[in-house]
Amino acid sequence: MPQIDKMESASPAAPVPTASSSATGLRRLRGSWPVARIALTGFFALDGFLFAGWVVRIPEIKAQVHASPGLLGLALLCVSAGAVAAMGPVGRLCLRIGNHAVTVAASVLLCLSVALPPLTHSVLALGGVLLVFGAGYGAMNVGINSAAVDFVRAAGRPVMPSFHAAYSLGGLLGATVGGLLAPVLTPTQHLGLLAVGGLAVTVWAGRALLRHAVAHPDASHADGSAGPSAGAGVALLVVLLGVVALCDAYGEGSMADWGALHLRQDLHASAAVAAAGFAVYSLTMTVGRLSGTRLVERFGPTRLLVAGAAIAAVGMVAAAVSPSLPLALAGFLLVGLGLANIFPLAIDRAGALRGPRGVATASTLGFGGMVAGPPVIGFLAEAFGLPLALLSVALLIALAGVSALVVRAKS
């Protein structure tokens, strides 16, 4: 194995000072890590599955509440607002009561709230329930990622990408199942079934997680007072990692909302080929995450992150400006492979530096990139055309690679 770089020095395999309660919890988790890993993987997959299930029913719910495109956009923004509002407080709550307890509670909230949108009959009511849904989604993401950071440290292997692969697979499965059920079930029936099934998964996986809860060594500083990793330099590193996550999420959100349209509108692909282009991107991202652990062990997190940013930036340039449809599809493939492990590695490093507070900070910035990407692309496309607008994705991805190098230099 090659020499490990500086960014890897705070990886799970490195010694981490802990209090006795934390050390005991880590030993317990290490001793039964297969069960804990399966349970946590189930929560990641459930998160993606529920969110995708909601997304595929948006058109019917839009018609139900008689929303114009503009009003629907405002209602959907409530998901982001709820998530961002929840992430900071949930990071502190993780320190008080533990990541595993927060994960289970957030999962219950997410499962219950996913059934609410089809019960509304006005845009105002829809916005209100989407605030709750967004809060559950944001809380779930902070909880599961913080729990994953603990698990990675206990297992002694950089397995964070595999958890995010489960999220991607859950999203693909949720979208597929939602598409198959849409013609035969109403949104109320479909999302109600998702809620019931999600609660069943939560009960099973939650029992496994709660048996292996891990106390945090800096839990005594959950009130916000300075803890052992609360220095200004560490806080700056976490913000830089949040910038890495933001740049990655900007690309992911833009690809999801504009990638297929670019193939259809600018390269005159058929509807099937345009859909296949996004599927190629999604599948290669999942494959990249499944292989992420071995790649991190072989090359180190910084090298993998910087190489991924370079690959994704080159792929995005090819996808955006190439007049050739096959070359554009190859670009989509490279974007998926390149972006695959950037977000998981950034969140993992932020969590290693500041625990749940680091996860919350980096996740909030990353979610901001996911929210900002599609509308910014829309404004740029209106001014300069969609191909040139998509070049902003390549620029932001390159910035993610540069930020990762800065983090390495300052670590």
Side-chain angles (χ1 to χ4, degrees):
M1 184 178 296
Q3 185 176 3
I4 296 175
D5 57 39
K6 288 185 180 180
M7 184 174 174
E8 198 171 4
S9 64
S11 68
V16 179
T18 62
S20 59
S21 59
S22 180
T24 301
L26 289 174
R27 284 195 297 269
R28 260 202 336 267
L29 182 55
R30 187 179 294 114
S32 56
W33 74 270
V35 174
R37 183 176 185 178
I38 291 171
L40 190 52
T41 299
F43 275 117
F44 271 90
L46 178 63
D47 192 34
F49 186 82
L50 292 176
F51 193 82
W54 141 248
V55 166
V56 300
R57 303 316 294 246
I58 289 177
E60 293 101 321
I61 294 171
K62 173 183 180 293
Q64 178 177 302
V65 300
H66 309 290
S68 65
L71 288 177
L72 178 65
L74 289 175
L76 294 177
L77 190 60
C78 290
V79 177
S80 304
V84 170
M87 285 178 172
V90 167
R92 293 189 291 273
L93 188 62
C94 285
L95 290 171
R96 289 186 181 276
I97 67 173
N99 300 329
H100 294 182
V102 169
T103 296
V104 175
S107 183
V108 171
L109 177 60
L110 185 65
C111 291
L112 293 175
S113 60
V114 77
L116 298 179
L119 303 180
T120 60
H121 298 282
S122 70
V123 176
L124 184 61
L126 178 62
V129 301
L130 290 182
L131 277 173
V132 178
F133 178 72
Y137 183 69
M140 179 82 156
N141 276 270
V142 172
I144 57 178
N145 279 292
S146 298
V149 169
D150 282 346
F151 179 87
V152 167
R153 184 174 62 184
R157 294 191 66 206
V159 294
M160 179 67 88
S162 68
F163 290 125
H164 285 256
Y167 175 88
S168 298
L169 288 171
L172 287 172
L173 183 60
T176 302
V177 171
L180 293 174
L181 293 180
V184 296
L185 293 180
T186 66
T188 301
Q189 293 169 333
H190 174 205
L191 297 184
L193 284 175
L194 290 190
V196 173
L199 288 172
V201 172
T202 300
V203 169
W204 171 80
R207 291 178 63 186
L209 272 191
L210 293 175
R211 283 199 301 269
H212 307 294
V214 178
H216 275 277
D218 55 346
S220 60
H221 302 280
D223 59 353
S225 61
S229 59
V234 171
L236 177 59
L237 289 179
V238 170
V239 170
L240 284 173
L241 289 162
V243 171
V244 173
L246 183 152
C247 295
D248 172 85
Y250 178 94
E252 291 190 37
S254 300
M255 286 293 290
D257 284 22
W258 293 99
L261 180 62
H262 168 59
L263 295 177
R264 187 94 167 109
Q265 170 185 292
D266 300 313
L267 297 178
H268 310 294
S270 66
V273 171
F278 182 72
V280 164
Y281 157 79
S282 300
L283 288 172
T284 52
M285 174 172 282
T286 302
V287 169
R289 287 177 169 175
L290 287 171
S291 59
T293 295
R294 291 185 179 180
L295 292 174
V296 172
E297 291 176 331
R298 177 68 178 86
F299 300 107
T302 300
R303 291 174 184 163
L304 179 58
L305 199 155
V306 173
I311 291 170
V314 169
M316 194 67 248
V317 171
V321 303
S322 172
S324 165
L325 181 57
L327 187 56
L329 291 173
F332 273 50
L333 184 150
L334 291 178
V335 173
L337 285 175
L339 291 183
N341 294 300
I342 293 178
F343 191 89
L345 291 177
I347 297 298
D348 184 36
R349 177 67 167 131
L353 286 170
R354 293 202 73 191
R357 288 173 295 182
V359 171
T361 299
S363 296
T364 300
L365 287 169
F367 205 84
M370 183 75 74
V371 172
V376 169
I377 293 291
F379 289 126
L380 292 175
E382 188 170 344
F384 305 107
L386 185 53
L388 289 180
L390 288 173
L391 288 179
S392 68
V393 175
L395 181 63
L396 267 290
I397 294 170
L399 177 60
V402 173
S403 299
L405 289 175
V406 173
V407 170
R408 177 187 179 183
K410 292 183 176 296
S411 296

